[in-house]
Amino acid sequence: MELSIKRDVIADGVGFSAIVDTKLKTNVLKIKFITELSEKEAPLNSMAAMLIGSTNNKIKTYSEMSDRLNALYGSSIYTDTSKSGDCQ
C-alpha cells in the first residue's frame, strides 16, 4: 500500500483528511479556517493567522516558539491567508 486517502467529518463543519504515502518520511499538519470574504474582517483575519503561528497561551513569545521548534528536528510553522472566490 503506497498511498491511502481518508476523509472524516470530526465535528459539524469540521473535516479531517489524512493522506499517507509510505514512500515519504515527513509529516504535514494543515489547519484551515474558511470564512466569508469581508472588507472589514479580512485584515483582522490575516493578523490573527500571523499571531497563531508565532504565539499561543503556553508559548507567549516568538523567541520561545523558535526555541521549541528548534528542539524538534526540521519543524516549522507557516501561516498564510488567501482569497478564493468569496471566501478567505
Side-chain angles (χ1 to χ4, degrees):
M1 177 171 84
E2 290 188 16
L3 180 70
S4 68
I5 301 172
K6 184 179 177 187
R7 172 108 174 130
D8 294 315
V9 175
I10 58 175
D12 188 29
V14 180
F16 175 78
S17 300
I19 303 170
V20 178
D21 187 339
T22 57
K23 295 184 289 185
L24 303 175
K25 294 184 180 183
T26 60
N27 294 303
V28 175
L29 174 65
K30 291 185 181 184
I31 300 171
K32 293 187 177 192
F33 299 99
I34 301 173
T35 63
E36 288 184 31
L37 190 60
S38 158
E39 188 174 328
K40 179 181 175 186
E41 298 293 324
L44 298 174
N45 292 341
S46 292
M47 269 186 4
M50 298 305 160
L51 288 173
I52 288 170
S54 61
T55 63
N56 62 48
N57 192 32
K58 293 182 180 179
I59 303 171
K60 298 190 182 335
T61 67
Y62 182 79
S63 179
E64 282 182 71
M65 179 68 82
S66 181
D67 289 345
R68 293 281 184 103
L69 290 173
N70 287 335
L72 300 168
Y73 178 76
S75 294
S76 64
I77 293 179
Y78 173 76
T79 59
D80 174 355
T81 56
S82 62
K83 173 186 171 293
S84 179
D86 291 336
C87 294
Q88 178 182 22

Coordinates of all heavy atoms in Angstrom, one line a residue:
M1 N 0.9 -1.2 0.0 CA 0.0 0.0 0.0 C 0.9 1.2 0.0 O 1.5 1.6 1.0 CB -0.9 0.0 1.2 CG -1.8 1.2 1.4 SD -3.0 1.1 2.6 CE -2.1 1.6 4.0
E2 N 0.9 1.9 -1.1 CA 1.8 3.1 -1.2 C 1.1 4.4 -0.8 O 1.6 5.2 -0.2 CB 2.4 3.2 -2.6 CG 3.4 2.2 -2.9 CD 4.1 2.4 -4.2 OE1 4.0 3.5 -4.7 OE2 4.8 1.5 -4.7
L3 N -0.2 4.5 -1.2 CA -0.9 5.8 -0.9 C -2.3 5.5 -0.5 O -3.0 4.7 -1.1 CB -1.0 6.6 -2.2 CG -1.7 8.0 -2.1 CD1 -0.8 8.9 -1.3 CD2 -1.9 8.6 -3.5
S4 N -2.7 6.1 0.6 CA -4.1 6.0 1.1 C -4.6 7.4 1.5 O -3.9 8.2 2.0 CB -4.2 5.0 2.3 OG -3.6 5.6 3.4
I5 N -5.9 7.6 1.2 CA -6.5 8.9 1.5 C -7.8 8.6 2.3 O -8.6 7.8 1.9 CB -6.9 9.6 0.2 CG1 -5.6 9.9 -0.6 CG2 -7.6 10.9 0.5 CD1 -5.9 10.5 -2.0
K6 N -7.9 9.3 3.4 CA -9.1 9.1 4.3 C -9.6 10.4 4.7 O -8.9 11.3 5.1 CB -8.7 8.2 5.5 CG -9.8 7.9 6.4 CD -9.4 7.1 7.6 CE -10.5 6.8 8.5 NZ -10.1 6.1 9.7
R7 N -10.9 10.6 4.6 CA -11.5 11.9 5.0 C -12.7 11.6 5.9 O -13.5 10.7 5.7 CB -12.1 12.6 3.8 CG -12.9 13.8 4.1 CD -12.2 15.1 3.8 NE -13.0 16.2 4.0 CZ -12.7 17.3 4.6 NH1 -11.5 17.4 5.2 NH2 -13.5 18.3 4.8
D8 N -12.7 12.2 7.1 CA -13.7 12.0 8.1 C -14.2 13.4 8.5 O -13.5 14.4 8.6 CB -13.2 11.3 9.4 CG -12.7 9.9 9.1 OD1 -13.5 9.2 8.5 OD2 -11.6 9.5 9.6
V9 N -15.5 13.4 8.9 CA -16.1 14.6 9.5 C -16.0 14.4 11.0 O -16.5 13.4 11.5 CB -17.6 14.8 9.1 CG1 -18.2 16.0 9.8 CG2 -17.7 15.0 7.6
I10 N -15.2 15.3 11.7 CA -15.0 15.2 13.1 C -15.9 16.1 14.0 O -15.9 15.9 15.2 CB -13.5 15.3 13.4 CG1 -13.0 16.7 13.0 CG2 -12.7 14.2 12.8 CD1 -11.6 17.0 13.4
A11 N -16.5 17.0 13.4 CA -17.5 17.9 14.1 C -18.3 18.6 13.0 O -18.0 18.5 11.8 CB -16.8 18.9 15.0
D12 N -19.3 19.3 13.4 CA -20.2 20.0 12.4 C -19.4 21.0 11.7 O -18.8 22.0 12.3 CB -21.4 20.7 13.2 CG -22.4 21.3 12.2 OD1 -22.5 20.7 11.1 OD2 -23.0 22.3 12.6
G13 N -19.2 20.9 10.4 CA -18.4 21.8 9.6 C -16.9 21.6 9.7 O -16.2 22.5 9.2
V14 N -16.4 20.6 10.3 CA -15.0 20.3 10.5 C -14.7 19.0 10.0 O -15.2 17.9 10.3 CB -14.6 20.4 12.0 CG1 -13.1 20.2 12.2 CG2 -15.0 21.7 12.6
G15 N -13.7 18.9 9.0 CA -13.3 17.7 8.5 C -11.8 17.4 8.7 O -11.0 18.3 9.0
F16 N -11.4 16.1 8.7 CA -10.0 15.7 8.8 C -9.7 14.8 7.7 O -10.4 13.8 7.4 CB -9.8 14.9 10.2 CG -8.5 14.4 10.3 CD1 -7.4 15.2 10.7 CD2 -8.2 13.0 10.0 CE1 -6.1 14.7 10.8 CE2 -6.9 12.5 10.1 CZ -5.9 13.3 10.5
S17 N -8.6 15.2 7.0 CA -8.2 14.4 5.8 C -6.8 13.9 6.1 O -5.9 14.6 6.6 CB -8.1 15.3 4.6 OG -9.4 15.8 4.2
A18 N -6.6 12.6 5.9 CA -5.2 12.0 6.1 C -4.8 11.4 4.7 O -5.5 10.6 4.1 CB -5.3 10.9 7.1
I19 N -3.7 11.8 4.3 CA -3.1 11.3 3.0 C -1.8 10.6 3.4 O -0.8 11.3 3.9 CB -2.9 12.4 2.0 CG1 -4.2 13.1 1.7 CG2 -2.3 11.8 0.7 CD1 -4.1 14.3 0.8
V20 N -1.7 9.3 3.3 CA -0.5 8.6 3.7 C 0.2 8.0 2.5 O -0.4 7.3 1.8 CB -0.8 7.5 4.8 CG1 0.4 6.7 5.2 CG2 -1.5 8.1 6.0
D21 N 1.5 8.3 2.4 CA 2.3 7.8 1.3 C 3.5 7.1 2.0 O 4.3 7.8 2.6 CB 2.8 8.8 0.4 CG 3.5 8.3 -0.8 OD1 4.0 7.1 -0.8 OD2 3.6 9.0 -1.9
T22 N 3.5 5.8 2.0 CA 4.6 5.1 2.7 C 6.0 5.3 2.2 O 7.0 5.0 2.9 CB 4.3 3.5 2.6 OG1 4.2 3.1 1.3 CG2 3.0 3.2 3.4
K23 N 6.1 5.9 1.0 CA 7.4 6.3 0.5 C 8.0 7.5 1.2 O 9.2 7.7 1.1 CB 7.3 6.5 -1.0 CG 6.9 5.3 -1.9 CD 7.0 5.6 -3.3 CE 5.8 6.6 -3.7 NZ 5.7 6.8 -5.1
L24 N 7.2 8.3 1.8 CA 7.7 9.5 2.4 C 7.9 9.4 3.9 O 7.2 8.6 4.6 CB 6.7 10.7 2.1 CG 6.5 10.9 0.6 CD1 5.4 12.0 0.5 CD2 7.7 11.3 -0.1
K25 N 8.8 10.1 4.5 CA 9.1 10.1 5.9 C 8.8 11.4 6.6 O 9.3 11.6 7.7 CB 10.5 9.6 6.2 CG 10.8 8.2 5.7 CD 12.2 7.8 6.0 CE 12.4 6.4 5.5 NZ 13.8 5.9 5.9
T26 N 8.1 12.3 6.0 CA 7.8 13.6 6.6 C 6.3 13.7 6.9 O 5.5 12.9 6.3 CB 8.2 14.7 5.7 OG1 7.5 14.6 4.4 CG2 9.7 14.8 5.4
N27 N 5.9 14.5 7.8 CA 4.5 14.8 8.1 C 4.2 16.2 7.9 O 5.0 17.1 8.2 CB 4.2 14.4 9.6 CG 4.4 12.9 9.8 OD1 3.7 12.1 9.1 ND2 5.2 12.5 10.7
V28 N 3.0 16.5 7.5 CA 2.5 17.9 7.4 C 1.1 17.9 8.1 O 0.3 17.1 7.8 CB 2.4 18.3 5.9 CG1 1.7 19.7 5.8 CG2 3.7 18.3 5.3
L29 N 0.9 18.9 8.9 CA -0.4 19.2 9.5 C -0.9 20.5 9.1 O -0.2 21.5 9.3 CB -0.3 19.1 11.1 CG -1.6 19.5 11.8 CD1 -2.6 18.4 11.6 CD2 -1.3 19.6 13.3
K30 N -2.0 20.6 8.4 CA -2.5 21.8 7.9 C -3.9 22.1 8.6 O -4.7 21.2 8.7 CB -2.8 21.8 6.4 CG -1.5 21.8 5.6 CD -1.8 21.9 4.1 CE -0.5 21.9 3.3 NZ -0.8 22.1 1.9
I31 N -4.1 23.3 9.1 CA -5.3 23.7 9.7 C -5.8 24.8 8.9 O -5.1 25.8 8.8 CB -5.2 24.0 11.2 CG1 -4.6 22.9 12.0 CG2 -6.5 24.5 11.8 CD1 -4.2 23.2 13.4
K32 N -7.0 24.7 8.3 CA -7.6 25.8 7.5 C -8.8 26.3 8.1 O -9.7 25.5 8.4 CB -7.8 25.3 6.1 CG -6.6 24.9 5.3 CD -6.9 24.6 3.9 CE -5.6 24.4 3.2 NZ -5.8 24.3 1.7
F33 N -8.9 27.6 8.2 CA -10.2 28.3 8.6 C -10.7 29.0 7.4 O -10.0 29.8 6.7 CB -9.9 29.4 9.7 CG -9.3 28.8 11.0 CD1 -7.9 28.9 11.2 CD2 -10.1 28.2 11.9 CE1 -7.4 28.4 12.4 CE2 -9.6 27.7 13.1 CZ -8.2 27.8 13.3
I34 N -11.9 28.7 7.0 CA -12.5 29.3 5.9 C -13.7 30.2 6.3 O -14.6 29.8 7.0 CB -13.0 28.2 4.9 CG1 -11.8 27.4 4.5 CG2 -13.7 28.9 3.7 CD1 -12.2 26.2 3.6
T35 N -13.6 31.5 5.9 CA -14.7 32.4 6.2 C -15.1 33.2 5.0 O -14.4 33.2 4.0 CB -14.2 33.5 7.3 OG1 -13.1 34.2 6.7 CG2 -13.7 32.8 8.6
E36 N -16.3 33.8 5.1 CA -16.8 34.7 4.0 C -15.8 35.9 3.9 O -15.3 36.4 4.9 CB -18.2 35.2 4.3 CG -19.2 34.1 4.1 CD -20.6 34.7 4.3 OE1 -20.9 35.9 4.0 OE2 -21.5 34.0 4.8
L37 N -15.5 36.3 2.7 CA -14.7 37.4 2.4 C -15.4 38.7 2.8 O -16.5 38.9 2.4 CB -14.2 37.4 1.0 CG -13.2 38.4 0.6 CD1 -11.9 38.1 1.4 CD2 -12.9 38.3 -0.9
S38 N -14.8 39.5 3.7 CA -15.4 40.7 4.1 C -14.3 41.8 4.2 O -13.2 41.6 4.7 CB -16.0 40.5 5.6 OG -16.1 41.7 6.2
E39 N -14.6 42.9 3.6 CA -13.7 44.0 3.6 C -13.3 44.5 5.0 O -12.1 44.8 5.3 CB -14.3 45.2 2.8 CG -13.3 46.4 2.6 CD -13.9 47.5 1.8 OE1 -14.7 47.2 0.9 OE2 -13.5 48.6 2.0
K40 N -14.2 44.4 5.9 CA -13.9 44.8 7.3 C -13.1 43.7 8.1 O -12.2 44.0 8.8 CB -15.3 45.0 8.0 CG -15.1 45.4 9.5 CD -16.5 45.6 10.1 CE -16.3 45.9 11.6 NZ -17.6 46.0 12.3
E41 N -13.4 42.4 7.9 CA -12.8 41.4 8.6 C -11.5 40.8 8.0 O -10.7 40.2 8.7 CB -13.8 40.2 8.8 CG -15.1 40.6 9.5 CD -14.8 40.9 11.0 OE1 -14.0 40.2 11.6 OE2 -15.5 41.8 11.5
A42 N -11.3 41.0 6.7 CA -10.1 40.4 6.1 C -8.8 40.8 6.7 O -8.0 39.9 7.0 CB -10.1 40.8 4.6
P43 N -8.6 42.1 7.0 CA -7.3 42.4 7.7 C -7.2 41.8 9.1 O -6.1 41.4 9.5 CB -7.3 44.0 7.8 CG -8.4 44.4 6.8 CD -9.3 43.3 6.7
L44 N -8.3 41.7 9.8 CA -8.2 41.1 11.2 C -7.9 39.6 11.1 O -7.2 39.1 11.9 CB -9.5 41.4 11.9 CG -9.9 42.8 12.2 CD1 -11.3 43.0 12.8 CD2 -8.8 43.5 13.1
N45 N -8.5 39.0 10.1 CA -8.3 37.5 9.9 C -6.8 37.3 9.6 O -6.2 36.3 10.1 CB -9.2 37.0 8.8 CG -10.7 37.0 9.2 OD1 -11.0 37.0 10.4 ND2 -11.5 36.9 8.2
S46 N -6.2 38.1 8.7 CA -4.8 38.0 8.4 C -3.9 38.2 9.6 O -3.0 37.4 9.8 CB -4.4 39.0 7.3 OG -5.1 38.6 6.1
M47 N -4.2 39.2 10.4 CA -3.4 39.4 11.6 C -3.5 38.2 12.6 O -2.6 37.8 13.2 CB -3.9 40.7 12.3 CG -3.1 41.9 11.9 SD -3.5 43.4 12.8 CE -4.6 43.0 14.1
A48 N -4.8 37.7 12.7 CA -5.0 36.6 13.6 C -4.2 35.4 13.2 O -3.6 34.7 14.0 CB -6.5 36.2 13.7
A49 N -4.2 35.1 11.9 CA -3.4 34.0 11.4 C -1.9 34.1 11.7 O -1.3 33.1 12.1 CB -3.6 33.9 9.9
M50 N -1.4 35.3 11.5 CA 0.0 35.5 11.8 C 0.3 35.3 13.3 O 1.4 34.8 13.7 CB 0.5 36.9 11.4 CG 0.4 37.1 9.9 SD 1.2 35.8 8.9 CE 0.5 36.0 7.4
L51 N -0.6 35.8 14.2 CA -0.4 35.6 15.6 C -0.4 34.1 16.0 O 0.3 33.7 16.9 CB -1.4 36.4 16.4 CG -1.2 37.9 16.3 CD1 -2.4 38.6 17.0 CD2 0.1 38.3 17.0
I52 N -1.4 33.4 15.4 CA -1.5 32.0 15.8 C -0.2 31.2 15.5 O 0.2 30.3 16.2 CB -2.7 31.3 15.0 CG1 -4.0 31.8 15.6 CG2 -2.6 29.8 15.1 CD1 -5.2 31.5 14.8
G53 N 0.5 31.6 14.4 CA 1.7 31.0 14.0 C 2.9 31.3 14.9 O 4.0 30.7 14.8
S54 N 2.8 32.4 15.7 CA 4.0 32.8 16.5 C 3.9 32.7 18.0 O 4.9 32.6 18.7 CB 4.4 34.2 16.1 OG 3.3 35.1 16.4
T55 N 2.7 32.7 18.5 CA 2.5 32.6 20.0 C 1.2 31.9 20.3 O 0.4 31.6 19.4 CB 2.3 34.0 20.6 OG1 1.2 34.7 20.1 CG2 3.5 34.9 20.3
N56 N 1.0 31.5 21.5 CA -0.2 30.9 22.0 C -0.3 31.0 23.5 O 0.5 31.7 24.1 CB -0.3 29.4 21.5 CG 0.7 28.5 22.1 OD1 1.0 28.6 23.3 ND2 1.4 27.7 21.2
N57 N -1.2 30.4 24.1 CA -1.5 30.5 25.5 C -0.3 30.0 26.4 O 0.0 30.6 27.4 CB -2.7 29.8 25.9 CG -3.2 30.1 27.3 OD1 -3.0 31.2 27.8 ND2 -3.8 29.1 28.0
K58 N 0.4 29.0 25.9 CA 1.5 28.4 26.6 C 2.9 29.0 26.2 O 3.8 29.0 27.0 CB 1.5 26.9 26.5 CG 0.3 26.2 27.2 CD 0.4 24.7 27.0 CE -0.8 24.1 27.7 NZ -0.7 22.6 27.6
I59 N 3.0 29.3 24.9 CA 4.2 29.9 24.4 C 3.9 31.3 24.0 O 3.3 31.6 23.0 CB 4.7 29.0 23.2 CG1 4.9 27.6 23.6 CG2 6.0 29.6 22.7 CD1 5.2 26.7 22.4
K60 N 4.4 32.2 24.8 CA 3.9 33.6 24.7 C 4.8 34.5 23.8 O 4.3 35.6 23.4 CB 3.8 34.2 26.1 CG 2.7 33.5 27.0 CD 2.4 34.2 28.2 CE 1.5 33.5 29.1 NZ 0.6 32.6 28.6
T61 N 6.0 34.1 23.5 CA 6.8 35.0 22.7 C 7.3 34.2 21.5 O 7.4 33.0 21.4 CB 8.0 35.5 23.5 OG1 8.9 34.4 23.8 CG2 7.6 36.2 24.7
Y62 N 7.7 35.0 20.5 CA 8.3 34.4 19.2 C 9.6 33.7 19.6 O 9.8 32.6 19.0 CB 8.5 35.5 18.2 CG 9.0 34.9 16.9 CD1 8.2 34.3 16.0 CD2 10.4 34.9 16.6 CE1 8.6 33.8 14.8 CE2 10.9 34.4 15.4 CZ 10.0 33.8 14.5 OH 10.5 33.3 13.4
S63 N 10.3 34.2 20.5 CA 11.6 33.6 20.9 C 11.4 32.2 21.5 O 12.1 31.2 21.2 CB 12.4 34.4 21.8 OG 13.5 33.8 22.2
E64 N 10.4 32.1 22.4 CA 10.0 30.8 23.0 C 9.6 29.8 21.9 O 9.9 28.6 21.9 CB 8.9 30.9 24.0 CG 9.3 31.5 25.3 CD 8.2 31.5 26.3 OE1 7.7 30.5 26.7 OE2 7.7 32.7 26.5
M65 N 8.7 30.3 20.9 CA 8.3 29.4 19.9 C 9.4 28.9 19.0 O 9.5 27.8 18.7 CB 7.2 30.2 19.0 CG 6.7 29.3 17.8 SD 5.7 28.0 18.3 CE 4.1 28.8 18.6
S66 N 10.4 29.8 18.7 CA 11.5 29.5 17.9 C 12.4 28.4 18.7 O 12.8 27.4 18.0 CB 12.4 30.7 17.7 OG 13.5 30.4 16.9
D67 N 12.5 28.6 20.0 CA 13.3 27.6 20.8 C 12.6 26.2 20.7 O 13.3 25.2 20.6 CB 13.4 28.0 22.2 CG 14.4 29.2 22.4 OD1 15.2 29.5 21.4 OD2 14.3 29.8 23.4
R68 N 11.3 26.2 20.8 CA 10.5 24.9 20.8 C 10.7 24.2 19.4 O 10.9 23.0 19.3 CB 9.1 25.2 21.1 CG 8.8 25.6 22.5 CD 8.8 24.4 23.4 NE 8.4 24.8 24.8 CZ 7.2 24.6 25.3 NH1 6.3 24.0 24.6 NH2 7.0 25.0 26.5
L69 N 10.6 25.0 18.4 CA 10.7 24.5 17.0 C 12.1 23.9 16.8 O 12.3 22.9 16.1 CB 10.3 25.5 16.0 CG 8.8 25.8 15.9 CD1 8.6 27.0 14.9 CD2 8.0 24.7 15.5
N70 N 13.1 24.7 17.3 CA 14.5 24.2 17.1 C 14.8 22.9 17.8 O 15.6 22.1 17.4 CB 15.5 25.3 17.6 CG 15.5 26.5 16.6 OD1 15.3 26.3 15.5 ND2 15.9 27.6 17.2
A71 N 14.0 22.6 18.9 CA 14.2 21.4 19.6 C 13.6 20.2 18.9 O 13.9 19.0 19.2 CB 13.5 21.5 21.0
L72 N 12.7 20.5 17.9 CA 12.1 19.4 17.1 C 12.8 19.5 15.7 O 12.6 20.4 14.9 CB 10.6 19.7 16.9 CG 9.8 19.7 18.2 CD1 8.4 20.2 18.0 CD2 9.8 18.3 18.8
Y73 N 13.5 18.5 15.4 CA 14.3 18.4 14.1 C 13.5 18.7 12.9 O 12.5 18.0 12.7 CB 15.0 17.0 14.0 CG 15.8 16.9 12.7 CD1 17.0 17.5 12.6 CD2 15.3 16.2 11.6 CE1 17.7 17.4 11.4 CE2 16.0 16.1 10.5 CZ 17.2 16.7 10.4 OH 17.9 16.6 9.2
G74 N 13.8 19.8 12.2 CA 13.2 20.1 10.9 C 11.8 20.6 11.0 O 11.0 20.7 10.0
S75 N 11.3 21.1 12.2 CA 10.0 21.6 12.4 C 9.9 23.0 12.0 O 10.8 23.8 12.1 CB 9.5 21.5 13.8 OG 9.4 20.1 14.2
S76 N 8.7 23.4 11.5 CA 8.4 24.8 11.2 C 6.9 25.0 11.2 O 6.1 24.1 11.2 CB 8.9 25.1 9.8 OG 8.3 24.4 8.8
I77 N 6.6 26.3 11.4 CA 5.2 26.7 11.4 C 5.1 27.8 10.3 O 5.9 28.7 10.2 CB 4.7 27.3 12.7 CG1 4.7 26.1 13.8 CG2 3.3 27.9 12.6 CD1 4.3 26.6 15.1
Y78 N 4.1 27.7 9.5 CA 3.9 28.6 8.4 C 2.4 29.0 8.4 O 1.5 28.2 8.5 CB 4.2 27.9 7.0 CG 3.9 28.7 5.8 CD1 4.6 29.8 5.4 CD2 2.7 28.4 5.1 CE1 4.3 30.5 4.3 CE2 2.4 29.2 3.9 CZ 3.2 30.2 3.6 OH 2.9 31.0 2.5
T79 N 2.2 30.3 8.3 CA 0.8 30.8 8.2 C 0.6 31.6 7.0 O 1.6 32.2 6.4 CB 0.5 31.7 9.5 OG1 1.4 32.8 9.5 CG2 0.5 31.0 10.7
D80 N -0.6 31.7 6.5 CA -0.9 32.3 5.2 C -2.3 32.6 5.2 O -3.2 32.0 5.8 CB -0.5 31.2 4.2 CG -0.9 31.6 2.7 OD1 -1.5 32.6 2.5 OD2 -0.5 30.8 1.8
T81 N -2.7 33.7 4.5 CA -4.1 33.9 4.2 C -4.2 34.1 2.7 O -3.3 34.6 2.0 CB -4.6 35.2 4.9 OG1 -3.8 36.3 4.5 CG2 -4.6 35.0 6.4
S82 N -5.3 33.7 2.1 CA -5.6 33.8 0.7 C -7.1 34.0 0.4 O -7.9 33.7 1.3 CB -5.0 32.6 -0.1 OG -5.6 31.5 0.3
K83 N -7.4 34.4 -0.8 CA -8.7 34.6 -1.2 C -9.1 33.5 -2.3 O -8.2 33.3 -3.2 CB -8.9 36.0 -1.8 CG -10.2 36.3 -2.4 CD -10.2 37.7 -3.1 CE -11.4 38.0 -3.9 NZ -11.5 37.2 -5.1
S84 N -10.2 32.9 -2.2 CA -10.7 32.0 -3.2 C -12.2 32.3 -3.4 O -13.0 31.9 -2.6 CB -10.5 30.6 -2.8 OG -11.0 29.7 -3.8
G85 N -12.5 33.0 -4.5 CA -13.9 33.4 -4.7 C -14.3 34.4 -3.7 O -13.7 35.4 -3.4
D86 N -15.4 34.0 -3.0 CA -16.0 34.9 -1.9 C -15.5 34.4 -0.6 O -16.1 34.8 0.4 CB -17.5 34.9 -2.0 CG -18.0 35.7 -3.2 OD1 -17.3 36.5 -3.8 OD2 -19.2 35.4 -3.7
C87 N -14.5 33.6 -0.5 CA -14.0 33.1 0.8 C -12.6 33.5 1.0 O -11.8 33.7 0.1 CB -14.1 31.6 0.8 SG -15.7 30.9 0.8
Q88 N -12.2 33.6 2.3 CA -10.9 33.9 2.7 C -10.4 32.8 3.5 O -11.1 32.2 4.3 CB -10.8 35.2 3.6 CG -9.5 35.5 4.1 CD -9.4 36.7 5.0 OE1 -10.4 37.1 5.5 NE2 -8.3 37.3 5.1

